[in-house]
Amino acid sequence: MVTTYLASIPSPAQGVWHLGPLPLRAYALFIIIGIIVAISWGERRWVARGGQKGTVTDVAVFAVPFGLVGGRLYHVATDYHKYFGEGKDPLDALKIWNGGLGIWGAIALGGVGAWIACRRRGIGLPAMADSLAPGIVVGQAIGRIGNYFNQELYGAETTVPWGLEIYERVDPVTGMKDDLNGIAVDTATPLMTVHPTFLYELLWNLGVAALIVVADRKLRLGHGRVFALYVAGYTAGRFWIEMMRTDEATMVLGLRINVITSVVVFLGAVLYFVLAAKRGERETNVEPAPESELPEGSAEDAEGEKVSATAAPSAKEDSGEAGDRPAPDAEASTGAAGSTTPVAPATPVTEDPAKQKQPGE
């Protein structure tokens, strides 16, 4: 029986191109683009909140590597059967270019990296997280395009007009099946048409970004509440999208592990959002200005205080020396006005010849 589809979304024929010996992978390319977008947008939001330009980039130097490691660790831990056991190669766990990053691990360990960077600069992590939140979720949306090129993260077969066509891919050299690195054999005859759950998440993430931006503008959220709203919004969508997926996954209590993780993280994010409201108004001074950018006169006043403090003891010493030794003109004036008796000349004080001041000194 032949089923005729009204319409469908074709998958790319391949997800890897070679520039000589160098493989260009769509998955990696879109991950990089997503990171760039997140940093750029986060930088603008941080500056708008009173922060210094370049701070977000400095934080990203720590957060991005930590996030990549965390994302890979979560993926390997929850899909360990793909890398360990009979017939498996544990070294494949290091091949991050083949795909496999868990957003939960990326955010968790990336947050640790961001915390380290924030402490080094003397700024608060919650304010930084609020600035980065919209860019992060948009970066996730962009990264999902990489899943499209990899023909992964899809749902059950469907007849909806936006169904995704899945093709058979083979290694052009060996002719062996290779869904990740191969090239489609026949794009006219798909193996199946499925729910594009990666696309559902992409669109959901863009909606979450719009939601938190509007909420931030209307409510002037602070103290990490924008980030908490992002986490709650993302996990709410991930819950139902994960339920639609049919790819292999670790099961816990009869549910995909990411479904359970979504519920737990969602509850934590909502709790934080409510409790953080007690901290009051949004932060007004997210990052102290560098000394070179202090208002004019501040540095001079500070320097003046230092000079005054340094000069004070010298003035005191000068005052004391003057009081112990009256000026000759004052002695002569007193003698002339108060008495007709000539004033006896003062007996000169004999000093050590070695200490006498010599001419020309």
Side-chain angles (χ1 to χ4, degrees):
M1 178 179 178
V2 177
T3 302
T4 302
Y5 298 99
L6 296 177
S8 56
I9 302 173
S11 289
Q14 64 193 95
V16 182
W17 297 264
H18 288 83
L19 302 177
L22 180 66
L24 180 61
R25 302 177 183 276
Y27 180 84
L29 177 63
F30 284 102
I31 290 292
I32 292 172
I33 293 174
I35 291 173
I36 293 173
V37 169
I39 293 174
S40 299
W41 194 0
E43 190 81 69
R44 290 197 298 271
R45 284 176 54 83
W46 179 253
V47 171
R49 286 184 173 229
Q52 302 299 313
K53 188 174 182 180
T55 298
V56 170
T57 303
D58 291 344
V59 171
V61 170
F62 285 82
V64 171
F66 273 70
L68 291 175
V69 172
R72 189 61 176 177
L73 287 176
Y74 180 88
H75 167 73
V76 173
T78 55
D79 290 309
Y80 60 89
H81 52 273
K82 295 181 179 180
Y83 308 101
F84 305 100
E86 186 177 355
K88 304 297 183 180
D89 185 359
L91 292 179
D92 287 343
L94 303 177
K95 298 177 180 178
I96 192 172
W97 54 86
N98 286 335
L101 290 174
I103 186 61
W104 318 108
I107 294 297
L109 205 55
V112 173
W115 175 76
I116 294 173
C118 286
R119 280 185 61 86
R120 288 168 59 91
R121 293 189 67 100
I123 57 180
L125 179 61
M128 175 60 68
D130 284 343
S131 298
L132 292 174
I136 290 176
V137 72
V138 169
Q140 288 178 240
I142 295 172
R144 284 305 181 202
I145 302 176
N147 300 129
Y148 169 59
F149 280 87
N150 278 0
Q151 284 195 149
E152 60 186 1
L153 307 190
Y154 49 79
E157 292 191 53
T158 181
T159 58
V160 297
W162 56 86
L164 177 70
E165 296 178 354
I166 300 298
Y167 307 134
E168 181 182 6
R169 288 178 175 177
V170 300
D171 186 320
V173 177
T174 64
M176 300 294 291
K177 182 180 178 180
D178 190 343
D179 292 330
L180 189 62
N181 301 305
I183 299 176
V185 176
D186 183 8
T187 58
T189 309
L191 295 175
M192 54 184 170
T193 302
V194 299
H195 276 288
T197 51
F198 78 88
L199 178 60
Y200 299 163
E201 185 173 327
L202 185 158
L203 296 175
W204 181 271
N205 287 349
L206 294 179
V208 171
L211 169 66
I212 61 180
V213 167
V214 172
D216 191 25
R217 289 177 180 175
K218 297 291 185 180
L219 305 177
R220 291 186 57 80
L221 301 173
H223 304 288
R225 299 182 75 208
V226 179
F227 192 84
L229 186 59
Y230 142 64
V231 173
Y234 171 74
T235 51
R238 182 64 184 268
F239 174 82
W240 65 267
I241 294 172
E242 189 72 22
M243 294 286 284
M244 295 183 67
R245 285 171 52 176
T246 57
D247 53 308
E248 188 179 9
T250 300
M251 307 297 287
V252 177
L253 301 177
L255 296 172
R256 297 169 67 92
I257 189 170
N258 284 328
V259 171
I260 297 176
T261 304
S262 294
V263 173
V264 173
V265 176
F266 172 83
L267 294 175
V270 171
L271 180 62
Y272 181 91
F273 183 85
V274 173
L275 295 179
K278 299 179 181 179
R279 297 185 181 181
E281 299 286 334
R282 176 196 286 181
E283 304 93 327
T284 56
N285 184 23
V286 297
E287 182 176 12
E291 186 175 346
S292 60
E293 296 183 12
L294 289 174
E296 186 176 352
S298 299
E300 295 177 1
D301 294 343
E303 186 65 26
E305 292 177 2
K306 293 178 181 179
V307 171
S308 299
T310 304
S314 298
K316 184 176 180 181
E317 292 173 4
D318 292 345
S319 175
E321 290 175 0
D324 294 341
R325 198 167 50 245
D329 291 344
E331 292 176 0
S333 175
T334 302
S339 172
T340 57
T341 305
V343 179
T347 304
V349 179
T350 303
E351 297 182 359
D352 187 341
K355 295 183 179 180
Q356 292 181 354
K357 187 174 182 180
Q358 301 299 323
E361 287 186 358

